[in-house]
Amino acid sequence: MKRAMAIFLSLCLAGGMLAGCAGGKPKENQGQSGEVSQGNQEDKPSGEVVKLKLGTCAPESSTFVTNAQLMNDKLEELSGGTVTMEIVGGGALGNVPEHFAQLNNGTLDIFVQGVDAPSAVKGGTDFGIFNVPFLFDDTEHFHKFLESDVFASMMEKVQEENKFSWLGLLGDRAPRSLSTKNTPVRKPEDLKGLVLRVPESAVPVAVFQAWGANTTTSAASAIFEGLQSGQFDGQDNGIEAMVVDGFMEVQNCYMKFDHTQQGIGAFISDAAKEKLTEEQMGWLEEALEYAYETTSRKMWEEEIPGYYEAMEEAGITVVSDVDVDAFRQIVLDLIPEFEGEYFREGLYEEIRSLAD
């Protein structure tokens, strides 16, 4: 019954009207030189159709794919149908490193994945810092970082070792939080003895263990069964997953924790930029901007409030009085151990200072 209600409500939200504006989109990374690559400046025949190939590891039903489709619709509109994209989702082109390898060899034009994805390639070690809880105070802090010289220098290291660059932010995502089958969590001690499914990354595993939980990893497709069978007591995930993916059927507690900010990033190959004229690159950037603004506005103003309403109607316990400071202090104590191993020394403070 809970799953049916969640599906019905999410469908209603998807058809809602857009309203208002939830804040500006982070600007395109211009690198240390301040210059934006404009691609191949040579004129191309006016009737030539340029087809770009876009890949993502995210499921076909995810916002990664729907945002990319919206970007493509706008791109075709702006170009009069002369520039279009083939969108390949569901990891059909491989895993994250395999997608980046295809960007590097020019067989893939655009890769849409989490902003932290470059942690999987040479030169991208510092991107592991995205998995540190409470790195960002809020979404505004996260956006400010993506506009900063700090992020630009991180991408510059990646570009030195690879043949792709940052195209821009394609969409916001709800922050990661915590949900359990039956146990309200307000302080770290409440996690003692609980088995939590966390992302398969060294940082969140270390953090959740320091918070007192027993951690395990699994494929995303195995989370529901693991919760249903009792293999997991809870998971580290966002509110969208709780409602849209039907986890309300097997979980009764959601902690309004918002410990890790997330975003949908778009990366473009050097080969793709070479084959596009300045005008075509402009269309692509405008289409990405349009998709971001449209979907972000809807997510913050309609979808997330609707998810909370759905949980309330389904009888889910929403815990709002989490002792965030207690959890944050444990993370701070771990930073000296993480520096030099998962990201360079000093990077954490540089990002934190942007919140001031």
Side-chain angles (χ1 to χ4, degrees), residues 3 26 38 61 109 117 137 145 153 232 246 271 312 331:
R3 173 176 281 183
Q38 300 295 347
S61 59
D109 297 305
D137 287 351
F145 163 66
S153 66
F232 312 146
E312 181 180 358
V331 175

Side-chain angles (χ1 to χ4, degrees), residues 7 12 14 17 20 39 47 53 57 62 80 84 133 155 168 174 177 179 190 196 201 210 230 286 311 339-340 353-354:
I7 292 173
C12 290
M17 296 295 291
K53 188 175 184 180
C57 297
S62 70
T84 186
M155 271 307 308
S177 195
S179 53
D190 295 336
L196 299 183
S201 174
E286 184 177 344
M311 288 194 295
E339 288 185 316
S353 69
L354 295 171

Side-chain angles (χ1 to χ4, degrees), residues 83-197:
V83 185
T84 186
M85 294 190 297
E86 174 192 3
I87 299 171
V88 185
L93 299 178
N95 57 26
V96 170
E98 289 168 337
H99 277 81
F100 278 129
Q102 291 167 62
L103 286 183
N104 281 332
N105 65 32
T107 57
L108 181 66
D109 297 305
I110 298 170
F111 180 35
V112 169
Q113 201 63 29
V115 178
D116 64 319
S119 62
V121 299
K122 193 173 181 180
T125 302
D126 285 346
F127 279 76
I129 201 168
F130 279 94
N131 288 315
V132 176
F134 307 115
L135 174 64
F136 303 103
D137 287 351
D138 48 32
T139 303
E140 183 180 355
H141 182 192
F142 177 61
H143 287 175
K144 189 175 181 180
F145 163 66
L146 293 179
E147 297 176 349
S148 72
D149 289 341
V150 180
F151 179 73
S153 66
M154 289 169 62
M155 271 307 308
E156 190 172 79
K157 290 179 182 178
V158 172
Q159 290 168 221
E160 288 173 355
E161 302 288 349
N162 296 274
K163 296 181 180 179
F164 67 85
S165 58
W166 173 249
L167 180 61
L169 192 64
L170 181 58
D172 284 331
R173 297 186 69 198
R176 298 188 73 87
S177 195
L178 174 66
S179 53
T180 63
K181 293 185 68 176
N182 296 299
T183 307
V185 175
R186 292 180 171 84
K187 55 188 183 301
E189 291 80 4
D190 295 336
L191 287 174
K192 186 175 181 180
L194 295 184
V195 178
L196 299 183
R197 187 273 180 188

Side-chain angles (χ1 to χ4, degrees), residues 132-138 188 207 211 257-259 322-335 348 352:
V132 176
F134 307 115
L135 174 64
F136 303 103
D137 287 351
D138 48 32
V207 168
W211 283 343
F257 203 14
D258 294 352
H259 59 74
V322 177
D323 186 356
V324 173
D325 289 339
F327 286 96
R328 182 185 286 114
Q329 185 57 54
I330 293 173
V331 175
L332 288 173
D333 293 341
L334 291 172
I335 297 304
Y348 179 83
R352 288 295 307 147

